[in-house]
Amino acid sequence: MAVKAKKIPVSVDKLTETQAKVELVRLVLEIERHNEAYYSEDAPKISDADYDALRQRSDAIEARFPGLVTRDSPSQKVGAAPSGRFAKVPHSVPMLSLGNAFSDEDVTDFVDRVRRFLKLADGDIPAIVAEPKIDGLSLSLRYEDGELVRGATRGDGFTGEDVTANVRTMSDIPHKLKGRNIPAVCEIRGEVYMLKKDFLALNKRQAEAEDTVFANPRNSAAGSLRQKDASITASRPLKFFAYAWGEMSAMPAKTQFKMIDWIGHAGFVTNPLITLCEDVEGLLKFYRKIETRRASLGYDIDGVVYKVDRLDWQERLGFVTRTPRWAIAHKFAAEQATTVLNDIEIQVGRTGALTPVAKLAPVTVGGVVVQNATLHNEDYIKGIGNDGQPIREGVDIRIGDTVVIQRAGDVIPQIVSVVVDKRPKTAKPYQFPTVCPACGSHAVREEDPKTGRPDSVRRCTNSLACPAQAKERLKHFVARNAFDIDGLGDKQIEEFFADGLVMSPVDIFTLQKRDARSQKRLADREGFGATSVRNLFAAIDARRTIALHRFIFALGIRHVGEGNAKLLARHYGTVEAFRAAMIAAGEGPQSEAYQDLNAIEGIGTVVANAIVEFFAEPHSVKAVDDLLGEIEVQPAERAKTDSPIAGKIVVFTGSLEKFTRDEAKATAERLGAKASGSVSKKTDYVVAGPGAGSKLAEANKLGVKVLTEDEWLALVSGA
Ligand code: IVH
C-alpha cells in the first residue's frame, strides 16, 4: 500500500523573504478559515494541535521577518474576521474616468475650455500637471489614522471589489503612512501595473506550469490582483503608481503637484516623470518626449494625462457625467498593420442603423489579433467624410483591397488607408444595400435637419418588426449599465431570441414561470445545466427592483444614453411621472409637458423628440407597461430637495464676474434648482451681474427677487 508522505516544510530559518511572504499569506488565510470554523461555525475542521502548529509556524516566520507582520496577521487579532474577500465596496468619492484628446488641437481646446469656464484673464496661466497614463487597473486605498484599512478596485466607478487582502501583499503599498499631519481619513488612488519584463517572465513560468498565460501586462496585472487566494497575488510582481486621491478628511496641499509630492513622502511610489507645465506648448512638448521614450519605459503606457494644478480650480471645474472638466487623457497614435479585406458584412443596430463591418484576414496589431474593423457608414466606404469632404484622398474601399488598419487602445480597429497599387483588377466599388438585410424593409438615409444633407447613417425603417433591432434592443436592455443581468449576455440573448423564448424585455421576467411549464426545459439545453439555470433565475430576480435611471437607459431610446437617463430620472423622480409626462408631451411642442421636457438642462430638441416618438408608439408603451407589471422601479435620488434653492427657478443675467454661467447653472442644478433663460412670473431669483439689462428690468417689473453674485454665493455656500 502506498503511504502518502507528509510534506515536511522548509525550516523557517532557511526561507527567503519572498518565500516567507508567500507562505505567510497562505497561513494567514488558512488560520482565518479555521478561526471562522471554530469561532463562527462552532465546527472546527482540524485538531487543536494542528491548529497550534499553524499558529506557531506563522509566529516563527513573523519573528524572523517582522516587516511582514500585517493587521491581518493572526498574532494581531482575536477570533474570526469576516472573510469579506471580493465583497462590494461603495466608493465614497466615485472613481471616474477621463475624456480623451487625440490631437494637438484637442489639447488646445481642452485648455481653452478650462480658461473659459474659469473666466481667466489673458495673463492668467492655468498651470497644468502632465504625467504618463499608465496602462494598468486603478485601485483605491483607504487609510484611517494612517493605517491601511481597505483596498478596492474601481469596479463600475461607484462600487468596487474589496481586494484588501491582496493589496496587503504588494510591496509598493505601505501598510502605514509615513510622516506627521496625516489626515484621519485618506484615500490614495493610482494604477496597479506590471513591468514588461516581469510580465514576460511570469508568462514563461505560467506556460511551463501549463497555467493561464496572459495577453499583455495589463491583463496580467488585473488577473494577478483579482485572485481569491491572496498568496497567489503575493507571488506576482505587481507594482503601483499613486496619482490621485478620493475621500480626504483634510487636504495636505493646495495643488495637484504638491499633493503628488506629499503622497510620495507618505510612502508611495509616484511617477518620476510628472511635470508641471505652463502652457499648451509645454504639454505638447511633454507628450512628444514621453512618446519617444515609450518603448524604453519598462511599463506600458497608452498616453499622457493633463490635470489642472490648482485644486480650488479643479473643484470649480467639476465633472460632466463621468469625466472631469479639469483633466484629460492625450492618447498616443494607434498602432498600424496591413491586411486584406475579405468581405463586408452589414450589422443592424438597435436603432436600425446599418453598420458595415470589414471582415479582415487576421492580423496582429499591438499584440492583439484583429479580424474585424468598423467601416462606419456608406460614405466612409466611398471615401467621403461626415462633412462631405474626401477622406483617404477620396479612395473608396473594395472587397479584395489591401488595407492599413489601426487600433488605439480599446477602440474598435479602423481602416486608415487603402494600398491602391495592390487592388485586384476584378475589385468593384461596393454597393451598399438599400434594404435591411435582417427584415427586407427599406433602409433609408434621413435628412439631417442641421446640414440639409442625407444623414451618414442608413436605417432600417421597420423598427417594430425588424428582428435584428428587437434582438439588439434586448442585448442593450440586459447590458451592464442597464439591467445588468448576470448570465444573460449577448450569446444567451441570441439563442433565446432565435428559439422564441425571449422576444421582448418582459419575457425575461416571465422566463422562469414559462420554463416551469415547458416540455423543453432550459436546464436541458446545451451549455446550461441546473446550476446555471438556477443562477440565471436568481440574477433575473435580483433585478426585479431597479433604479429609475437604469430603467430609462435600458429602454434603448435613440439619443438617451446614461447621462440623459440620469437627467430624466432626476427630473421626473418616478417611473409613473416619467411615463405620464412623455405621453402627454406627445400632444405637441406647445404642450406644457413637452415644454417642461425640453427645458431640462442638457435635454435638447433632438433628444426630446426621440423620447416623444418612442412613447407615441403604442407598441413601446405596451412593452413598458408589460414590464412594469413584473418589476418595481425605484424612485430616483432626486436633485437635492433640502437645499435653500431646491425647486426654485433661477435666471442668471449680466456679465458674471465671480463665476461663469455654466458653472452657476451646474451649481443650481446640483442643488435641485432649475436654471432658466428667461424671466417670468414663475422665476424665483434673478442673479444679476454688472451690465444686466432687460431681464433685470423684467424682474423688477414682476417683483422677482434680484440677487447680486455675492448674495447668490452666500445662498448656495454650504448647501
Ligand atoms: S487620473 C477623475 N492619472 O486612466 C479621473 N488616471 O481613463 C482620475 N490612469 O480610470 C484619473 N494613468 O485607471 C489618472 N496618471 C493617471 C493615470 C490614470 C492611468 C487610468 C485610470 C483611470 C483611467 C481613465
Side-chain angles (χ1 to χ4, degrees):
M1 192 179 83
V3 177
K4 202 169 163 195
K6 197 162 181 176
K7 209 171 145 197
I8 301 169
V10 182
S11 134
V12 170
D13 36 81
K14 296 235 166 66
L15 290 176
T16 64
E17 178 145 6
T18 312
Q19 285 171 326
K21 189 171 154 192
V22 173
E23 192 183 345
L24 199 55
V25 173
R26 193 167 278 145
L27 279 169
V28 167
L29 292 176
E30 195 173 345
I31 292 170
E32 232 172 48
R33 252 194 328 270
H34 291 306
N35 280 346
E36 179 77 18
Y38 183 88
Y39 290 107
S40 307
E41 294 158 21
D42 288 329
K45 295 196 167 61
I46 54 171
S47 70
D48 286 358
D50 283 348
Y51 177 83
D52 287 344
L54 292 175
R55 288 292 300 255
Q56 271 160 14
R57 184 147 175 105
S58 97
D59 290 348
I61 295 175
E62 285 188 356
R64 197 171 150 226
F65 300 101
L68 298 180
V69 180
T70 70
R71 266 196 172 194
D72 285 343
S73 160
S75 61
Q76 307 293 305
K77 55 185 181 191
V78 189
S83 117
R85 268 171 299 146
F86 287 81
K88 292 199 166 165
V89 185
H91 296 299
S92 49
V93 174
M95 292 182 80
L96 302 173
S97 61
L98 293 166
N100 289 325
F102 294 102
S103 64
D104 293 2
E105 205 189 340
D106 290 348
V107 178
T108 311
D109 287 350
F110 163 69
V111 176
D112 284 350
R113 274 200 304 276
V114 166
R115 299 188 72 100
R116 270 202 309 276
F117 194 97
L118 295 171
K119 279 201 141 186
L120 297 188
D122 281 350
D124 289 344
I125 296 166
I128 293 180
V129 171
E131 57 191 79
K133 184 169 188 299
I134 318 297
D135 199 5
L137 70 150
S138 46
L139 178 72
S140 186
L141 300 162
R142 187 177 173 91
Y143 291 82
E144 286 174 5
D145 298 324
E147 296 267 349
L148 174 64
V149 294
R150 172 126 11 95
T153 61
R154 180 174 115 141
D156 65 359
F158 298 96
T159 311
E161 285 167 332
D162 188 335
V163 287
T164 312
N166 309 57
V167 299
R168 282 191 201 282
T169 70
M170 290 172 55
S171 56
D172 279 353
I173 293 180
H175 291 192
K176 198 168 170 39
L177 297 183
K178 285 197 296 206
R180 272 174 275 147
N181 298 333
I182 304 283
V185 174
C186 204
E187 274 179 14
I188 302 298
R189 293 176 174 177
E191 202 85 353
V192 177
Y193 67 100
M194 202 177 271
L195 290 174
K196 288 186 251 187
K197 71 173 173 38
D198 288 341
F199 155 73
L200 293 171
L202 171 64
N203 254 3
K204 191 157 167 259
R205 287 202 303 276
Q206 295 283 105
E208 277 161 13
E210 293 186 8
D211 210 336
T212 328
V213 283
F214 298 99
N216 52 44
R218 204 204 78 81
N219 286 357
S220 173
S224 299
L225 179 69
R226 299 178 63 259
Q227 287 285 340
K228 284 274 184 196
D229 178 351
S231 69
I232 299 180
T233 307
S235 72
R236 301 279 173 83
L238 287 176
K239 301 189 74 73
F240 181 75
F241 275 130
Y243 54 65
W245 54 92
E247 186 180 342
M248 299 286 291
S249 56
M251 287 302 285
K254 291 195 166 135
T255 66
Q256 178 78 30
F257 199 70
K258 292 197 175 122
M259 272 302 286
I260 294 303
D261 188 52
W262 179 83
I263 289 174
H265 282 104
F268 289 93
V269 185
T270 58
N271 193 290
L273 300 165
I274 298 182
T275 303
L276 190 58
C277 302
E278 291 224 323
D279 48 21
V280 175
E281 283 72 54
L283 298 180
L284 297 178
K285 203 168 137 211
F286 178 84
Y287 176 85
R288 299 200 215 296
K289 179 177 103 181
I290 300 297
E291 196 175 28
T292 54
R293 292 177 57 179
R294 184 177 181 184
S296 59
L297 280 183
Y299 48 88
D300 275 343
I301 59 172
D302 55 350
V304 301
V305 184
Y306 307 133
K307 301 173 182 171
V308 169
D309 192 38
R310 271 178 59 166
L311 301 185
D312 56 340
W313 285 359
Q314 289 191 2
E315 180 112 347
R316 275 179 62 191
L317 284 156
F319 292 81
V320 201
T321 319
R322 297 187 69 169
T323 59
R325 284 198 193 85
W326 48 265
I328 199 161
H330 189 180
K331 295 294 197 69
F332 289 137
E335 296 179 73
Q336 302 194 336
T338 303
T339 185
V340 174
L341 174 65
N342 286 334
D343 199 3
I344 294 177
E345 201 178 273
I346 303 290
Q347 288 178 355
V348 184
R350 81 185 144 82
T351 59
L354 267 46
T355 306
V357 177
K359 304 304 258 177
L360 304 163
V363 61
T364 304
V365 193
V368 172
V369 179
V370 172
Q371 304 190 67
N372 300 316
T374 178
L375 288 168
H376 301 285
N377 54 53
E378 190 167 351
D379 284 349
Y380 184 87
I381 298 177
K382 287 187 185 150
I384 306 169
N386 279 345
D387 53 2
Q389 298 302 311
I391 49 169
R392 298 185 305 270
E393 295 168 341
V395 178
D396 67 331
I397 296 173
R398 302 182 185 182
I399 294 171
D401 268 341
T402 295
V403 292
V404 177
I405 59 162
Q406 78 173 16
R407 200 188 136 250
D410 306 336
V411 181
I412 308 166
Q414 322 256 346
I415 291 185
V416 284
S417 61
V418 175
V419 187
V420 185
D421 294 351
K422 294 202 174 166
R423 175 168 280 174
K425 290 207 177 59
T426 50
K428 285 192 279 307
Y430 179 71
Q431 287 297 319
F432 203 91
T434 52
V435 293
C436 171
C439 69
S441 306
H442 281 300
V444 298
R445 292 176 69 169
E446 295 159 13
E447 188 171 288
D448 184 330
K450 280 197 210 119
T451 61
R453 295 195 316 109
D455 194 2
S456 56
V457 177
R458 191 176 280 279
R459 275 175 211 283
C460 162
T461 47
N462 188 355
S463 68
L464 283 189
C466 174
Q469 289 186 55
K471 193 169 66 187
E472 293 307 312
R473 279 198 296 267
L474 282 167
K475 288 183 189 168
H476 171 82
F477 185 85
V478 297
R480 215 166 132 229
N481 301 334
F483 269 70
D484 187 22
I485 299 178
D486 263 356
L488 195 54
D490 288 1
K491 185 168 159 268
Q492 291 77 20
I493 292 287
E494 290 276 352
E495 276 186 35
F496 292 172
F497 190 85
D499 293 351
L501 275 178
V502 173
M503 307 302 283
S504 85
V506 70
D507 297 343
I508 296 168
F509 294 96
T510 57
L511 189 61
Q512 185 169 12
K513 259 187 278 172
R514 286 181 290 125
D515 189 53
R517 296 194 302 258
S518 166
Q519 298 282 305
K520 212 175 142 211
R521 303 291 293 258
L522 278 185
D524 301 329
R525 292 170 79 96
E526 186 149 332
F528 276 81
T531 314
S532 58
V533 171
R534 209 174 324 114
N535 290 344
L536 174 63
F537 290 152
I540 293 173
D541 280 342
R543 293 291 183 270
R544 283 185 192 272
T545 308
I546 188 119
L548 179 57
H549 67 91
R550 277 183 179 259
F551 178 83
I552 295 175
F553 174 65
L555 296 178
I557 304 169
R558 218 170 136 188
H559 306 299
V560 180
E562 278 183 280
N564 283 340
K566 280 196 180 138
L567 292 177
L568 293 163
R570 270 176 165 234
H571 185 79
Y572 292 102
T574 64
V575 71
E576 292 77 18
F578 172 65
R579 178 190 177 282
M582 294 309 99
I583 291 173
E587 279 165 26
Q590 297 314 321
S591 67
E592 201 176 317
Y594 183 92
Q595 301 261 319
D596 184 51
L597 167 65
N598 207 14
I600 300 175
E601 191 64 27
I603 303 282
T605 313
V606 173
V607 183
N609 290 349
I611 309 171
V612 169
E613 260 170 45
F614 177 91
F615 280 91
E617 182 53 68
H619 176 88
S620 312
V621 178
K622 180 172 182 312
V624 168
D625 290 346
D626 287 349
L627 251 179
L628 293 177
E630 291 290 332
I631 65 170
E632 187 190 325
V633 182
Q634 290 164 324
E637 58 175 86
R638 299 296 300 269
K640 268 200 160 195
T641 52
D642 57 351
S643 89
I645 58 161
K648 306 276 192 231
I649 298 177
V650 190
V651 175
F652 297 93
T653 183
S655 60
L656 303 171
E657 289 181 326
K658 305 266 160 95
F659 37 76
T660 63
R661 206 164 295 257
D662 282 350
E663 196 181 353
K665 279 185 174 177
T667 308
E669 267 152 27
R670 186 169 48 80
L671 297 176
K674 192 161 121 184
S676 167
S678 56
V679 180
S680 75
K681 275 189 302 207
K682 289 191 189 159
T683 311
D684 294 288
Y685 298 112
V686 169
V687 180
S694 60
K695 289 184 193 169
L696 177 59
E698 185 69 16
N700 286 329
K701 195 173 106 197
L702 295 172
V704 174
K705 189 154 176 56
V706 178
L707 302 177
T708 63
E709 287 178 83
D710 282 330
E711 283 167 342
W712 163 256
L713 286 175
L715 183 64
V716 298
S717 69

